[in-house]
Amino acid sequence: MYKTVSLHTLGCKLNYSETSSMAKQFQNNGIEIREFGEKTDIFVLNTCTVTNNADRECKQIIRSVIRNNPDTYVIVTGCYAQLQPGEISSIEGVDLILGTNEKFKLFDYIDNFETESLSCFGKKQKADIFVSPLDEGNYVGEAFSSDVDSRTRAFLKIQDGCDYNCSFCTIPLARGRSRSLEIGKVIESAQKIIDSGYKEIILTGVNTGDYNFTESGKRYKLIDVLYRLEKLDIKRIRISSIEPNLLSDDIIALVNSSDKFCNHFHIPLQHGDADILKMMRRRYNTDFFHDLIHKLSERVSDVGIGIDVIVGFPGETEKHFENTYNFLNSLPISYLHVFSYSERRNTFAVTLDGKVEVKDRKTRSSVLRNLSNKKRHEFYTSHTGKKAEVLFETGRDGMIEGWTTNYIRVKSEYKKEYENNILPARLTEASGSKFVKGIVE
Ligand code: SF4
């Protein structure tokens, strides 16, 4: 009988929330959750396939777990498992591979696997693969989780899949078409999160802004979800990431007028050169993006804006890169998430000419990361001397960290009573781009 399990996640916040749901399935079946790295009867890896590095890391982790604990039953699921089950099954010691749909019904498969495990051979000779095509069904596995143990912030998945066709992206292949959690279930899950003592809900999805659910002839969009969530007794609600074309004026107005919504937006741009952006098949152009960011900064007070950007897309010349740099530098934003382009099978981008050398991708990444540090430092510095509400998490080495609504990391002297509380703090001094010192007042 299996008594213990450890789980590990790679990739996005959505994956983290889904791993949390899998952990709950194990707990409900009487199996104890242990830390990743401990010897356990079962090991589950929830994978990512957004870049070649992500694939490589998946394989390294699987091999290392099997080396350190050859008897553990190894289950691999997630986006990499959905797209490349054959590659994973070639790793000796993997027992079960589950696709994107199957991970929400773990025990349908583990039952079989458990019976066979009672044989004298123990582990499987060859992995069982259960991966169904993603166009079958409209299922959205429910998931919510905390990012830390302190019960401060919980991720709530409201949407899955994507109908967009960005030319570099493999996620629609790994996660299927866009579908949304029933609005009633969103509110039910949010209430469970609140009842568990969390102070902040972070709404997540693959394309969260594309939330679209119809019930009894009424169509609910993201704004309807936000109106309903706002009525709950929650301190903070944050939208994790939203496509620029879906960030509507009514969402901006609600965020600005309600004290529950965080004045923080994370928006994927992907490229600041008009021609490259077009080749990426995004649903907006640089003028639209420019106007959106300025509108946010005018309408939402003290807004924090994070931007996703990719370097090294096929055909990106020094001139294109310079354009992206200058465009980003000109915008009133607070930080960047920088990604190096990675060739993905079955995408349009991989067929394009003009491959950018890996060393150039690295150099350009590092240039934009420096720009991000500069932007973040400026943003942090512009808040010193001001007061802000900070949601404090857990303490370490005599200090405690927390986040403001507009996503400034604040460090204060540790006091037990600060944990999982929103407290007013005076922001005194920015420590580079890492954090701002805060004194609780
Ligand atoms: S919006 Fe584009 S980048 Fe984002 S998941 Fe959909 S296809 Fe991929």
Side-chain angles (χ1 to χ4, degrees), residues 401-419:
E401 278 192 9
W403 295 92
T404 62
T405 53
N406 56 358
Y407 219 52
I408 294 175
R409 185 198 291 268
V410 177
K411 265 194 188 185
S412 295
E413 255 177 54
Y414 176 77
K415 283 197 180 154
K416 177 83 186 139
E417 62 269 27
Y418 292 176
E419 285 186 3

Side-chain angles (χ1 to χ4, degrees), residues 161-172 206-207 243 245 268 270 280-283 310:
C162 184
D163 293 342
Y164 287 17
N165 190 24
C166 302
S167 63
F168 52 86
C169 182
T170 197
I171 293 174
V206 172
N207 189 344
E243 286 293 307
N245 53 307
Q270 309 306 20
M280 287 179 155
R281 296 183 170 166
R282 302 285 290 165
R283 297 199 176 191
I310 296 174

